[in-house]
Amino acid sequence: AQTIHQWPVAEIKAVGSPLSLGCTIKGKSSPNLYWYWQATGGTLQQLFYSITVGQVESVVQLNLSASRPKDDQFILSTEKLLLSHSGFYLCAWSLTSAETLYFGSGTRLTVL
Amino acid sequence: SQWGEENLQALSIQEGEDVTMNCSYKTYTTVVHWYRQDSGRGPALIILIRSNEREKRSGRLRATLDTSSQSSSLSITAAQCEDTAVYFCATDDATGYQNFYFGKGTSLTVIP
């Protein structure tokens, strides 16, 4: 069975500090991977997607970057956090375009 | 933006009632996903309807898709307390670029 694990579960960080969030998918080779951001009470905004190792496409510019160093790993990061980065970050995978998205449990980020 | 008409933001109904949530989209899509998100969790797919389908049922759920009006609906029959959640519709942009757009979402509360 496929599993998706996100870490950490929650972070409280200072404005201007760096950030790294991670996501690992087990049990599925070469999945499409996604990062989404959700403001409290808001909808999901797609940030990045990746269809293969080493290739990441940006959907919106939010002073964040993403990398896929391994087939099963997706990393979201920034060198300098802004207050507006607060929210709920979700990693997801799918087999192909337009198919089901399987989400992780998310990381709650609070920037102070 | 992929989205036109706003989804309802919040609905509150009595247990046993039926409820329908609507969404509309601006550009062609090959599929409409409906996701359910419980508090503090990642969304989970509950029903997916493709552009060549007009209706899809799954238990007490019924999704419809009208490609001519570019709209979709999700109905829940005889709602139960455990149906309390936020419901999102999502579409792809049919470009093959792995972009999924989520609607505003509907926060459904079922009162016992």
Side-chain angles (χ1 to χ4, degrees):
Chain A
Q2 302 84 22
T3 60
I4 179 168
H5 174 60
Q6 280 190 248
W7 73 92
V9 172
E11 279 266 47
I12 299 175
K13 304 278 281 187
V15 170
S17 63
L19 175 76
S20 181
L21 305 180
C23 173
T24 299
I25 293 86
K26 296 299 182 187
K28 181 60 63 180
S29 66
S30 303
N32 295 335
L33 298 177
Y34 308 83
W35 278 111
Y36 279 85
W37 173 80
Q38 185 178 30
T40 301
T43 190
L44 284 80
Q45 170 66 60
Q46 187 172 337
L47 301 176
F48 300 94
Y49 69 86
S50 170
I51 60 173
T52 191
V53 174
Q55 277 190 22
V56 177
E57 300 296 330
S58 173
V59 178
V60 293
Q61 293 296 325
L62 284 179
N63 294 307
L64 295 167
S65 60
S67 64
R68 186 171 178 176
K70 301 178 186 177
D71 186 54
D72 64 354
Q73 196 174 73
F74 208 17
I75 306 295
L76 183 71
S77 61
T78 183
E79 292 186 0
K80 204 174 270 192
L81 280 165
L82 307 172
L83 285 174
S84 58
H85 286 137
S86 291
F88 197 41
Y89 288 84
L90 290 152
C91 180
W93 70 270
S94 72
L95 285 178
T96 61
S97 175
E99 292 300 322
T100 304
L101 286 172
Y102 297 93
F103 285 89
S105 297
T107 296
R108 174 73 59 189
L109 174 66
T110 303
V111 182
L112 302 174
Chain B
S1 169
Q2 168 69 321
W3 297 99
E5 177 185 318
E6 297 282 331
N7 288 346
L8 288 173
Q9 294 299 300
L11 282 174
S12 186
I13 62 172
Q14 295 291 131
E15 197 170 28
E17 292 183 345
D18 300 341
V19 62
T20 297
M21 292 164 269
N22 299 296
C23 71
S24 60
Y25 53 93
K26 286 183 176 178
T27 59
Y28 174 76
T29 187
T30 61
V31 64
V32 175
H33 304 223
W34 283 93
Y35 286 84
R36 168 195 170 127
Q37 185 177 27
D38 294 310
S39 182
R41 306 288 299 272
L45 182 79
I46 52 174
I47 200 164
L48 182 155
I49 183 166
R50 301 187 186 281
S51 56
N52 62 350
E53 299 173 307
R54 294 179 64 85
E55 180 181 291
K56 191 84 165 283
R57 291 179 184 268
S58 177
R60 294 184 293 108
L61 303 177
R62 174 178 173 260
T64 66
L65 179 59
D66 184 342
T67 54
S68 62
S69 64
Q70 296 186 159
S71 63
S72 178
S73 71
L74 174 71
S75 298
I76 303 176
T77 303
Q80 299 170 7
C81 292
E82 51 264 37
D83 296 324
T84 293
V86 179
Y87 294 83
F88 294 99
C89 54
T91 63
D92 71 322
D93 62 4
T95 64
Y97 289 118
Q98 325 292 339
N99 292 330
F100 289 90
Y101 300 95
F102 280 74
K104 293 286 185 181
T106 298
S107 178
L108 176 67
T109 301
V110 182
I111 303 166

